[in-house]
Amino acid sequence: MDTIIGLLSDFGQFIRPWMGDIATAMVACLLVVFGADINRLLRGQLSGTNFILRTAVFILINAFGFGFLIVSAAPWLSRQLSHLPDVWLVGVVVTTFVFIGTWAQRHRQV
């Protein structure tokens, strides 16, 4: 058991310098998976409205809204993850990506 914990700790130390990139990837993956649902909700709410208004809302939400979310949520997530011990960091990162992948698979996005 000590060998496994040692390996997890070593791997946690190995990925720690890239925590910002890992957090950005997590947020981007979540947006890719849930972006279709968000756009479907917007389409339903904006059906029957003017083409220009629908296009403007689409641009605001997808370009600026998702971009702002990545730029603001990724550093916050990186700071939160950096507080975790190395052993837990590996588990949280792997579990998060497995969860996102499983969610995407179940909703036929993969």
Side-chain angles (χ1 to χ4, degrees):
M1 189 64 164
D2 290 335
T3 305
I4 294 172
I5 291 174
L7 288 172
L8 289 174
S9 180
D10 290 344
F11 190 66
Q13 289 175 356
F14 176 74
I15 66 172
R16 196 165 287 281
W18 292 283
M19 196 50 52
D21 296 330
I22 292 169
T24 302
M26 284 181 180
V27 173
C29 285
L30 284 170
L31 286 175
V32 166
V33 170
F34 292 111
D37 295 331
I38 293 169
N39 285 333
R40 191 176 314 113
L41 177 73
L42 279 173
R43 194 177 317 122
Q45 295 293 322
L46 296 174
S47 65
T49 60
N50 185 351
F51 170 76
I52 301 295
L53 179 64
R54 285 193 321 260
T55 304
V57 170
F58 177 81
I59 291 169
L60 286 172
I61 296 296
N62 284 282
F64 299 109
F66 289 173
F68 176 75
L69 190 59
I70 289 172
V71 169
S72 62
W76 176 85
L77 182 59
S78 177
R79 283 190 304 274
Q80 300 307 313
L81 290 172
S82 68
H83 293 301
L84 292 173
D86 292 331
V87 175
W88 285 101
L89 177 63
V90 172
V92 168
V93 168
V94 169
T95 302
T96 301
F97 282 116
V98 167
F99 170 76
I100 294 170
T102 304
W103 183 276
Q105 184 71 27
R106 286 190 181 174
H107 289 87
R108 299 178 185 201
Q109 294 187 7
V110 176

